[in-house]
């Protein structure tokens, strides 16, 4: 006992000191330390402790009753956040977290322009007896209050502000505006009560018809895991197109309230025609109420917005962007998934195709691909991706509504099967498998059609036979994607044949191209177009391989386009003598039926079928004629006469001082118009030739919209001699009807001495039309 007694006094003193420290800490929580006061001496609030702020009340004066928003901070949630909620007119809503953060940030760093002396701080005179804005904060043991009053004389727009227990200050116009937040803006803009991941299903009714969707057992992120709900005309359980349902889910994410409305305002807006769409959201939580939202009706004073009325689980009305209606009013048929495989390329892990004794099995290993059957070996990444992408690109022309006899469709037994294993990034609920397995049964070909059954949803798809070839095991699909490989400068001749037209070009000794066929006045080869075609041909890669033999299919029995090239031996080194072992050869590519954006094709007359990229046909399918036949260098022009179809001629003349409009003197507008004509002619390059021979009626060249006669000056060499000679020649350009050519708005045009019709971009022709006073020059067709 003696040792205990010896230390008793010390223990008691320690306990008393700790208790005193606790009491001091509690009493001191509301005080401001010297360091804190010094650090914030220029701020309106001498203390700022964001973690201790639990409540903010904003009261805004208004002609009627004051508007008040009371913000309160919640407990820490599962995400480690303390969310804010706001009470307005007795109703509690989630707060707009960014708006609250912005308000608190403004308060934290708010500073004064100057302090108002106490003797001059009459609340009534400064508008503080009836403040226009009041902000109260609960910050731990401290209670802060800020009032905004009337206008101060300087600086412009400044406002008087009072901070409780600190006095009256003058603050800037900018700070006052940042603090003047209407209570309604502190309310969350989100109008949809549930996130996409929280949905078990959703229904759209109204414009577009009744569309009912539910979560599917195969899982997947966002729209990848939805199917048509039971009783849907499209078929119960039929898979919904992921891009289409993603459009709906994205619209829900954009369904933000731009302005909240009273129920009476919303009722009046919907009174004329009622809602265009009623959206019902079915939450995964069985205890939660469905969300019901009506959309439609013009929003008062807000163009490009519509009224949204949320009826469940809580009532609200607001103006929302009208663009959200577009995906919500799509017809049900747009939601039917015609893709045979639903997984995207980056999620596919394994592919297995089997037909009788033949099989092909491919697996992903990171970013690489590996062949497991019929042999074990790595596969070039490009080849593996192309094979899988070809499978994913196969789409049905339609789904059969019901199948009573699968055998009649060639599905019993199936000719082949396809199994795709994928790993979705997330699953919609607990216990869902992390792997998705899709199996297809491929039937026998029947009159150019193949029927395919998706076991995942039981749907039977009708697929064109050429497209279905990608679903069958074939080692041709593992070929290198490189079809041809030579440099464009090795191409010495080109021949392009299509219906009714043959084009032949030969490279000359200086590397330029000579047009051999077709023949016609003024026709010449366009070096850039010919080089582009030679370049595409020499580096031709297949988008995918289709079949070992075309047979009579793929449109290759009578090709739409045939491209041939004479390929000289490669030089070694570049530009030197040809290699001894190199021999001249020819290359031939035939393009058949369309295959999506590209075309079915083969190299040679009996090679395997592949899909050629659309750029090849775009380059070979045009006239390879010079496009600069209208271009005139300014120094070559003596005079330009513009004659509109139903107007007076306008003459532009070259002079030592520049180009001028004859008879217009030195008017600025006339000088600018003359310069515009000069620059337009120097830039009058055609997009391309569109027809050979005489123009047709739709070209609008008989009579033309505008006729341009260019009188040429003497060549530079001749000018060194005696002056005063007449120009050696002139030519005329006719501008005709407007149209579109390869995605560009153009005018048809023709130059005398050139036996072809061209398309010139309207933007290049516009200065000439404007100078001639042609009405509606900017793009009328």
């Amino acid at each position: 006992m003696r040792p205990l007694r010896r230390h008793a006094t010390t223990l008691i003193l320690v306990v008393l000191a700790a208790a005193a420290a606790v009491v001091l800490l509690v009493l001191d929580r509301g005080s401001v330390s010297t360091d804190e006061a010094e650090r914030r001496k220029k701020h309106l609030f001498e203390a700022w402790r964001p973690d201790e702020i639990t409540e903010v009340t904003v009261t805004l004066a208004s002609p009627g009753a004051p508007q008040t928003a009371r913000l309160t901070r919640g407990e820490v949630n599962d995400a480690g956040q303390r969310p804010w909620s706001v009470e307005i007119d007795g109703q509690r809503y989630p707060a707009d977290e960014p708006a609250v953060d912005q308000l608190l940030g403004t308060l934290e760093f708010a500073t004064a322009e100057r302090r108002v002396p106490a003797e001059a701080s009459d609340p009534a005179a400064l508008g503080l007896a009836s403040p226009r804005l009041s902000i109260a904060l609960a910050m731990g043991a401290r209670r802060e209050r800020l009032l905004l009053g009337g206008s101060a004389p300087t600086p412009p727009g400044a406002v008087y502000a009072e901070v409780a227990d600190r006095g009256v200050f003058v603050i800037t116009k900018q700070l006052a505006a940042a603090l003047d937040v209407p209570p309604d803006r502190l309310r969350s803009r989100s109008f949809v009560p549930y996130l996409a991941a929280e949905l078990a299903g959703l229904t759209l009714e109204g414009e577009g018809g009744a569309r009912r969707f539910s979560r599917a057992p195969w899982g997947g992120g966002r729209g990848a895991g939805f199917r048509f709900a039971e009783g849907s005309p499209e078929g119960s359980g039929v898979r919904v197109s992921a891009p289409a349902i993603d459009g709906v889910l994205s619209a829900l994410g954009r369904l933000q309230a731009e302005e909240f409305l009273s129920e009476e305002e919303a009722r009046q807006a919907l009174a004329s025609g009622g809602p265009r769409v009623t959206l019902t959201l079915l939450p995964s939580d069985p205890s939660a109420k469905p969300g019901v939202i009506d959309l439609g009706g013009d929003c008062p004073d807000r163009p490009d917005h519509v009224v949204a009325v949320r009826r469940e689980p809580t009532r609200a009305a607001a103006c929302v962007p009208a663009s959200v209606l577009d995906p919500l009013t799509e017809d049900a048929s747009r939601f039917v998934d015609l893709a045979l495989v639903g997984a995207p390329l980056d999620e596919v892990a394994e592919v297995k195709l089997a037909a009788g004794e033949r099989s092909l099995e491919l697996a992903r290993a990171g970013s690489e691909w590996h062949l497991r059957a019929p042999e074990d070996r790595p596969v070039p990444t490009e080849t593996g991706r192309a094979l899988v992408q070809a499978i994913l690109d196969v789409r049905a022309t339609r789904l059969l509504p019901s199948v009573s006899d699968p055998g009649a469709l060639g599905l019993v037994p199936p000719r082949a099967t396809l199994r795709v294993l994928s790993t979705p990034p997330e699953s919609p609920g607990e216990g869902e498998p992390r792997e998705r397995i899709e199996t297809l049964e491929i039937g026998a070909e029947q009159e150019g059609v193949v029927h395919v059954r998706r076991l995942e949803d039981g749907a039977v798809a009708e697929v064109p036979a050429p497209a279905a070839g990608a679903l069958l095991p074939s080692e041709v699909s593992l070929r290198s994607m490189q079809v041809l490989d030579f440099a464009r400068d090795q191409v010495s001749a080109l021949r392009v044949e299509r219906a009714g037209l043959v084009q032949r070009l030969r490279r000359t000794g200086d590397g330029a191209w000579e047009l051999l066929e077709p023949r016609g006045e003024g026709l010449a080869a366009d070096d850039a177009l010919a080089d582009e075609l030679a370049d595409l041909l020499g580096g031709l890669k297949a988008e995918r391989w289709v079949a070992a033999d075309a047979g009579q299919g793929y449109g290759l029995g009578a090709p739409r386009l045939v491209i041939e090239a004479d390929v000289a031996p490669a030089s070694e080194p570049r530009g030197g003598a040809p290699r001894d072992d190199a021999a001249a050869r020819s290359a031939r590519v035939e393009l058949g039926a369309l295959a999506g954006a590209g075309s079915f094709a083969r190299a040679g007359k009996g090679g395997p079928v592949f899909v050629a990229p659309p750029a090849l046909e775009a380059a070979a399918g045009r006239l390879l004629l010079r496009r600069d036949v209208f271009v005139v260098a300014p120094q070559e022009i003596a005079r330009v006469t513009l004659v509109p179809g139903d107007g007076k001629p306008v003459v532009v003349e070259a002079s030592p001082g520049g180009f001028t409009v004859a008879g217009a003197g030195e008017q600025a507008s006339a000088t600018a118009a003359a310069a515009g004509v000069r620059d337009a002619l120097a830039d009058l390059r055609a997009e391309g030739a569109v027809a050979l021979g005489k123009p047709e009626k739709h070209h609008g060249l008989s009579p033309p919209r505008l006729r341009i006669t260019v009188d040429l000056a003497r060549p530079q060499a001749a000018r060194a001699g005696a002056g005063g000679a007449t120009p050696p020649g002139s030519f005329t350009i006719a501008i005709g009807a407007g149209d579109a050519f390869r995605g560009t708005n153009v005018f048809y045009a023709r130059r005398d001495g050139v036996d072809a019709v061209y398309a010139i971009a309207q933007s290049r022709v516009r200065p000439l039309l404007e100078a001639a006073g042609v009405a509606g020059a900017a793009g009328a067709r």
Side-chain angles (χ1 to χ4, degrees):
M1 294 295 292
R2 186 174 296 173
L4 183 59
R5 290 193 186 99
R6 186 187 308 161
H7 297 292
T9 302
T10 302
L11 291 172
I12 291 171
L13 290 175
V14 171
V15 171
L16 290 175
V22 171
V23 171
L24 182 61
L25 177 63
V26 172
L27 294 176
D28 193 51
R29 288 183 64 187
S31 65
V32 181
S33 68
T34 303
D35 289 345
E36 190 174 18
E38 178 63 24
R39 191 171 61 251
R40 297 189 56 82
K41 64 182 180 181
K42 295 183 179 180
H43 294 81
L44 293 181
F45 296 104
E46 61 180 352
W48 192 265
R49 299 159 188 171
D51 292 341
E52 296 182 19
I53 299 175
T54 56
E55 185 175 313
V56 182
T57 302
V58 179
T59 302
L60 184 66
S62 62
Q67 302 176 36
T68 299
R70 179 171 170 266
L71 292 158
T72 54
R73 205 171 200 171
E75 299 298 324
V76 177
N77 59 19
D78 293 340
Q81 306 293 323
R82 296 178 61 194
W84 289 90
S85 61
V86 60
E87 182 181 325
I88 301 174
D89 296 332
Q91 296 291 322
R92 184 153 292 280
Y93 311 99
D96 188 292
E97 297 285 341
V100 175
D101 288 344
Q102 184 174 352
L103 175 61
L104 293 177
T106 302
L107 292 169
E108 178 180 4
F109 297 105
T111 57
E113 286 291 291
R114 63 182 181 275
R115 181 186 288 271
V116 179
E119 60 272 15
S121 302
D122 179 8
L126 305 182
L128 294 166
S130 300
R132 73 190 212 191
L133 177 67
S134 170
I135 301 176
L137 295 94
M139 186 165 53
R142 296 182 63 85
R143 296 295 181 268
E144 303 284 3
R145 189 183 64 167
L146 172 66
L147 306 178
L148 265 58
S151 299
T154 59
V159 172
Y160 289 111
E162 180 181 358
V163 180
D165 300 328
R166 292 205 70 196
V168 178
F169 303 86
V170 173
I171 64 173
T172 63
K173 174 184 177 181
Q174 292 76 15
L175 176 56
L179 293 170
D180 197 358
V181 180
D184 210 37
R185 296 302 299 178
L186 297 171
R187 180 178 170 184
S188 173
R189 306 286 100 192
S190 180
F191 202 75
V192 178
Y194 304 111
L195 299 174
E198 299 172 332
L199 296 179
L202 59 95
T203 298
L204 298 168
E205 295 177 291
E207 192 171 326
R211 292 138 292 165
R212 297 187 294 276
F213 312 119
S214 63
R215 283 285 182 188
W218 48 82
R222 288 183 65 82
F226 278 87
R227 59 183 176 181
F228 283 95
E230 186 175 352
S232 296
E234 296 72 27
S236 298
V238 169
R239 196 170 70 207
V240 171
S241 166
I245 200 70
D246 269 348
V248 171
L249 299 179
S250 296
L252 299 187
R254 300 195 312 273
L255 217 160
Q256 301 283 316
E258 297 293 329
E259 177 186 356
F260 286 100
L261 303 174
S262 68
E263 292 207 17
E264 178 59 24
E265 289 174 317
R267 187 190 64 78
Q268 291 180 3
L270 291 174
S272 58
R276 289 177 58 184
V277 176
T278 295
L279 169 67
T280 303
L281 305 174
L282 305 174
S284 301
D285 183 355
S287 64
K289 288 184 177 180
V292 181
I293 301 173
D294 293 329
L295 289 156
D298 295 332
C299 211
D301 303 322
R302 277 189 175 267
D304 301 324
H305 287 72
V306 295
V307 172
V309 177
R310 188 176 65 219
R311 294 190 272 127
E312 294 289 350
T314 57
R315 296 192 67 84
C319 294
V320 300
S323 61
V324 302
L325 281 172
D326 294 339
L328 304 182
T329 54
E330 292 277 14
D331 186 78
S333 61
R334 299 291 297 273
F335 290 90
V336 175
D337 191 1
L338 296 176
L340 298 189
V341 177
L345 177 63
D346 59 355
E347 295 177 11
V348 174
E350 296 179 11
V351 173
K352 183 177 181 179
L353 303 94
E357 298 297 322
R358 291 182 299 131
S359 68
L360 189 152
E361 188 170 350
L362 195 66
R364 186 196 296 271
S367 61
E368 305 296 324
W369 291 92
H370 194 93
L371 186 67
R372 292 177 176 171
E375 58 181 313
D376 192 299
R377 64 178 173 86
V379 172
T381 301
E382 185 180 43
T383 301
R385 287 179 61 88
L387 186 152
V388 177
Q389 188 63 62
I391 292 171
L392 303 186
D393 287 342
V394 179
R395 296 178 61 82
T397 53
R398 66 183 182 118
L399 299 185
L400 302 187
S402 61
V403 176
S404 57
D405 185 5
L409 301 178
L411 288 166
V412 180
R415 173 172 50 148
T417 59
L418 168 64
R419 179 181 180 272
V420 177
L421 184 147
S422 58
T423 54
E426 61 184 47
S427 295
E430 298 268 339
E432 293 288 345
R434 297 189 61 183
E435 293 183 343
R436 177 183 182 184
I437 297 177
E438 299 179 69
T439 302
L440 305 180
E441 294 180 343
I442 298 97
E445 180 179 345
Q446 298 178 333
E447 298 180 353
V449 169
V450 172
H451 292 97
V452 179
R453 178 157 48 195
R454 294 189 308 219
L455 298 191
E456 186 172 70
D457 62 352
V460 174
E462 191 173 274
V463 181
L471 309 176
L472 303 175
S474 172
E475 291 192 46
V476 71
S477 59
L478 297 174
R479 291 171 61 103
S480 167
M481 308 311 292
Q482 194 75 47
V483 180
L484 297 173
D485 188 11
F486 49 81
R488 76 179 181 194
D489 57 6
Q490 291 177 247
V491 179
S492 58
L494 284 169
R495 183 180 185 277
V496 183
E497 181 179 355
R498 58 182 167 129
L501 176 67
V502 173
Q503 297 185 83
R504 289 193 304 121
L505 295 87
R506 178 176 59 197
R507 197 186 291 275
T508 61
D510 60 359
W513 288 93
E514 177 188 1
L515 183 68
L516 303 178
E517 193 177 354
R519 295 186 176 277
E521 184 182 11
L523 300 184
D526 189 296
D527 289 346
L529 294 181
D531 278 343
E532 181 183 354
L533 176 57
D535 205 26
L536 286 168
L537 193 64
L540 180 60
K541 287 186 175 183
E543 293 200 337
R544 64 181 173 92
W545 290 98
V546 177
D549 185 1
Q552 296 301 311
Y554 307 102
L556 290 165
R560 293 182 299 113
L561 195 64
V562 178
I563 311 162
E564 294 178 311
D566 291 343
V567 183
S571 297
E572 187 66 39
R574 188 176 181 86
R579 297 194 315 266
D580 292 339
D581 60 345
R585 60 191 175 96
S586 62
R588 176 187 174 97
V589 175
E590 300 174 347
L591 300 184
L594 293 174
S599 305
F600 291 114
R602 64 183 170 190
K605 294 187 177 181
V609 181
F610 63 94
V611 174
L616 180 63
E617 180 167 356
R622 58 192 172 192
L623 290 167
L624 304 176
L625 303 179
R626 280 183 56 182
R627 293 167 291 170
D628 61 353
V629 296
F630 303 96
V631 176
V632 190
Q635 66 270 20
E636 296 177 357
I637 299 174
R639 184 182 302 102
V640 179
T641 304
L642 307 170
V643 183
D646 55 357
K648 296 181 179 179
V650 175
V651 178
V652 175
E653 297 179 327
S655 68
F659 283 73
T660 60
V661 177
E666 297 184 359
Q667 298 178 21
S669 59
T671 301
V677 170
R678 173 201 65 199
D679 295 343
L681 288 172
D683 190 42
L684 205 60
R685 184 180 181 84
E687 298 298 302
V690 296
L692 295 170
K694 295 182 179 180
E696 299 179 15
K697 183 177 180 180
H698 72 276
H699 293 144
L701 291 162
S702 299
R705 180 186 301 241
L706 175 67
R707 190 177 299 279
I708 308 163
T709 300
V710 181
D711 294 322
L712 299 174
R714 292 193 312 159
Q716 193 70 30
R719 292 179 186 171
T726 57
S730 65
F731 66 89
T732 300
I733 299 170
I735 304 296
D739 204 343
F741 175 75
R742 297 182 181 272
T744 300
N745 289 332
V746 298
F747 287 114
Y748 293 119
R750 186 178 175 90
R751 171 181 166 162
D752 55 5
V754 180
D755 199 17
V757 178
Y758 287 80
I760 306 177
Q762 291 186 6
S763 60
R764 298 179 189 267
V765 179
R766 189 175 297 118
L768 300 169
L769 295 171
E770 291 173 348
V774 177
R781 293 192 182 179

